[in-house]
Amino acid sequence: MAGLEVLYSSVAGGISCPQDALVCYVHWDIIKNGYRCIGSGDEPSGSDKMSELLPPDWSANKELYSLRYKAKDDDTSLLLKAILDNSILTFYLMNANTEQVAGLTVNVDDHVDAQQLQNFESVFKDTDSLSAKVRSQLLLLPDRTAAQSTENERQREQEEQRQRREGSDPLYSPTSSNPRFPLHGPGRSSIGPNPMFPLLEPGRADLDPFGPHGHGGMIVDPLRSGFPRSGFDPSGGIPGVLPPGAVPPGARFDPFGPVGRGRPGPDPDHMPPPGFDDMFM
């Protein structure tokens, strides 16, 4: 409220009653929402100029205040009137372009301490409520509090949906843009290891042939069983079947025929079993 303090200090010498302080506050709320005061009274004058301050004669009449405003960014003109009835101050704001009128009724005692008129730190009360009323009832602007509440509710619903999705989908991973494919992390390839979430990628070790720690490929992989095996390496190619380099080193490889089919002797796959032609076998 630094701007309000400067404004209040500039007119403090002329504030002699609670309604003066209240009009000053409403003036500041109008200023901070994109308008500038151009003068007092109902009609334009040759001395009109856009300013954030109140004009010299703004509080000449303690029962009827009249101030004119103009928008900073367009031609919108406003006429503000404040009428006092006992401790009730009623504000009327007319848009001179559309002749639309909005009204706000305020109990002066609810927002101004009459004993603290010369003490800015203590003079105003419940300013958040007053500003909300000025925006929604006088300036007819969206209620920021309601808009923020709606946004908070939307974010809370999104968070609840995310938590439900994590709890119900065993393949969900926070590193994935698609919860059904946990191997894909933001900015990562489908086979790149993700050391940040090693336990949140179910199925990776079985599906990723280049998975971390050398555990990619088949669940029961004869090439990684831990038992002694021949020197066969599919990455070197299979004569007459696969050229060298067709199978990347360490990748899963399912032989589609007997390895070493060029070996001498008959091919057992080409010989019928004994009694092949005996229907009673």
Side-chain angles (χ1 to χ4, degrees):
M1 296 172 61
L4 175 60
E5 183 174 5
V6 173
L7 171 65
Y8 197 83
S9 298
S10 70
V11 296
I15 292 180
S16 59
C17 54
Q19 61 266 29
D20 282 348
L22 189 57
V23 170
C24 180
Y25 187 93
V26 172
H27 164 84
W28 177 74
D29 249 339
I30 295 174
I31 293 298
K32 74 177 183 179
N33 279 286
Y35 294 89
R36 294 294 178 264
C37 186
I38 58 176
S40 60
D42 297 348
E43 300 296 332
S45 69
S47 61
D48 286 353
K49 64 177 182 179
M50 297 181 67
S51 174
E52 295 184 1
L53 302 177
L54 285 162
D57 57 347
W58 68 278
S59 61
N61 188 337
K62 304 298 183 179
E63 295 183 352
L64 175 61
Y65 300 80
S66 182
L67 297 168
R68 288 176 288 111
Y69 298 87
K70 186 175 178 60
K72 291 191 302 181
D73 303 325
D74 55 43
D75 295 330
T76 303
S77 296
L78 304 177
L79 173 62
L80 175 71
K81 285 185 174 292
I83 302 173
L84 181 67
D85 182 9
N86 293 322
S87 63
I88 302 299
L89 194 61
T90 302
F91 293 89
Y92 297 97
L93 188 66
M94 184 181 75
N95 186 320
N97 303 71
T98 63
E99 297 187 351
Q100 181 183 20
V101 178
L104 170 64
T105 299
V106 179
N107 188 323
V108 178
D109 296 335
D110 288 344
H111 299 287
V112 176
D113 187 340
Q115 305 302 318
Q116 301 290 333
L117 294 181
Q118 301 305 315
N119 183 359
F120 172 77
E121 299 296 333
S122 306
V123 63
F124 295 113
K125 300 184 292 184
D126 195 12
T127 54
D128 290 341
S129 171
L130 180 57
S131 290
K133 292 175 183 177
V134 171
R135 283 183 54 86
S136 61
Q137 299 181 37
L138 206 58
L139 293 173
L140 303 180
L141 297 174
D143 187 344
R144 289 175 176 172
T145 303
Q148 184 62 41
S149 177
T150 301
E151 176 63 17
N152 292 342
E153 181 65 24
R154 184 185 66 83
Q155 294 179 358
R156 183 163 52 252
E157 290 178 357
Q158 289 182 343
E159 177 63 18
E160 291 176 355
Q161 292 175 1
R162 184 187 66 80
Q163 292 177 357
R164 286 195 297 268
R165 186 166 63 246
E166 288 184 13
S168 62
D169 190 346
L171 294 182
Y172 177 80
S173 169
T175 63
S176 171
S177 58
N178 186 335
R180 298 300 304 176
F181 296 92
L183 298 184
H184 292 267
R188 309 183 69 88
S189 67
S190 61
I191 59 176
N194 190 339
M196 297 298 294
F197 299 93
L199 301 179
L200 298 178
E201 300 184 1
R204 181 189 181 97
D206 300 333
L207 302 175
D208 185 356
F210 300 102
H213 313 301
H215 295 299
M218 296 177 286
I219 297 177
V220 181
D221 188 344
L223 300 182
R224 296 180 176 85
S225 62
F227 295 99
R229 56 185 175 85
S230 67
F232 169 67
D233 183 1
S235 63
I238 300 176
V241 180
L242 288 175
V247 179
R252 167 179 174 164
F253 175 70
D254 295 324
F256 44 82
V259 178
R261 61 176 59 180
R263 63 184 183 275
D267 190 332
D269 286 350
H270 295 167
M271 297 182 65
F276 173 74
D277 55 352
D278 187 346
M279 64 179 295
F280 297 105
M281 284 290 289

